[in-house]
Amino acid sequence: MAMALAVLRDWCRSMGVNAQRSLLILGIPDDCKDQEFQEVVQAALRSLGRYRVLGKVYRKELGSSVALVEFAECLNRSLLPRQIPGKGGPWTVVCLPQAPDADSQDRPNCPAQPQGQAVVGRAGEAGTAGHSGTAGEEEAAGEAGVAGMEGDTGEEEALGEEGAEGEEGAEGEAGAEGEEGVRREPQMRRELQARKELQVKQEMKVKQELSQMRKELQVTTEPQVRQELQVRQELQVRKELQVKQEMKVKQELSQMRKELQVRRELKVRRELKVRRELQVRRELQVRKELRVKQELRVKQELKVKQELKVKQELSQMRKELQVTEMLQAWQDF
C-alpha cells in the first residue's frame, strides 16, 4: 500500500494535478481492453462526480497495470469503494488520506454528488473539465474578494461610528479634530477599496497564470505519457514476439531431437538386422562347410574301403592264379 501511495504522489506531481482529488486503480490485467476498462470505471465511479482518466500504464514495482483518475470536484472518501469488480478479479482503489489543509470539497461536510452528473471518461475530454474547474476557482476567488471588501467596509463603518461617538463625548475639547477626521474618512475608504481591488486583480492574474501553467504542463506531459505507453506497448509486443520465437525454436529443437532419435533407432535396427543377417550367413556357411567336410570324409572312407576291397580282390586273384599255376605245373610233371 505504501508503494501504491508513493506511485500516486509521484504521478500526480509529474502531471501537475491535485493528489487530494486523485486516486489510483490497481490490479488491472494486461489483456484488459480500453473499452472494457472504461465501462468498469464508469460503472464504479460515475456516482462520485466528474472525473478523467489521466493514464493507464504497467508498473513493474506494483506487478500490474495501474490507472490514475482525477476528479474535477471533491473526492468524497466516504462513498469511495475500496475495490471495484473488474476483469480477472476485484481491482483495488487507493487514495491519499484526508489532509488537514485540503480544499473544502474534500472535507467531511462535502455533500454527496448527484447521480445525474456527467462523466468524463477519457483524457481527450478532460480538457473541458479542467477548464471548468479553473473557471470555478476564479469565480470562487472573485466572490471571496468581494466578501472581503464588504467585511472591510463594515469595519470602516464601525470605526466611523466609534469616531462619531467620540466626537459627541468630547465636543468641547476636540470639535475641529473630529470634523477633519470625518472629512478624511471617505478618502481613506476610497484608498482602501482601490488597494483591495488591485489585490484582487493581482490574485486573479496569479491564478490565471497558474491555471495556464498547469494546462501547458498537462499538454506537455500527456504526449510524454502517451509516448511512454507506446514504448511500453512496443516492448511488451517485442517480449511476446521473443517468447513466441523462443517457443518456436524450442519446438523445432524438440522436433529435431525426436527425428534424430528416430533416425538413430532406425539406424541401430538396421545395423542389428545386418548383423543378424551376417550371423545367419556365417552359420549357414559353417554348416555348409561342415556338411562338405562330412561328405568329403564319407567319400574318402568309401574310397579307402573300395581300395581295400580291390586290394583284397587282387590279392585273392593273385592267390588263385598262383594256385592254378602250381596245379598246372604239377600236371606238367
Side-chain angles (χ1 to χ4, degrees), residues 31-67:
D31 57 349
C32 181
K33 297 182 180 180
D34 187 62
Q35 182 67 25
E36 297 176 346
F37 170 74
Q38 293 292 343
E39 291 177 356
V40 172
V41 173
Q42 183 177 0
L45 303 180
R46 62 185 175 184
S47 62
L48 300 178
R50 293 185 303 167
Y51 68 89
R52 57 177 177 175
V53 180
L54 300 180
K56 182 168 73 71
V57 297
Y58 177 81
R59 300 303 294 255
K60 185 177 180 181
E61 60 271 27
L62 297 177
S64 65
S65 296
V66 298

Side-chain angles (χ1 to χ4, degrees), residues 304-316:
V304 169
K305 287 179 180 181
Q306 287 176 359
E307 288 178 355
L308 287 173
K309 186 176 181 181
V310 170
K311 284 180 180 181
Q312 288 177 357
E313 289 177 354
L314 287 174
S315 176
Q316 186 70 24

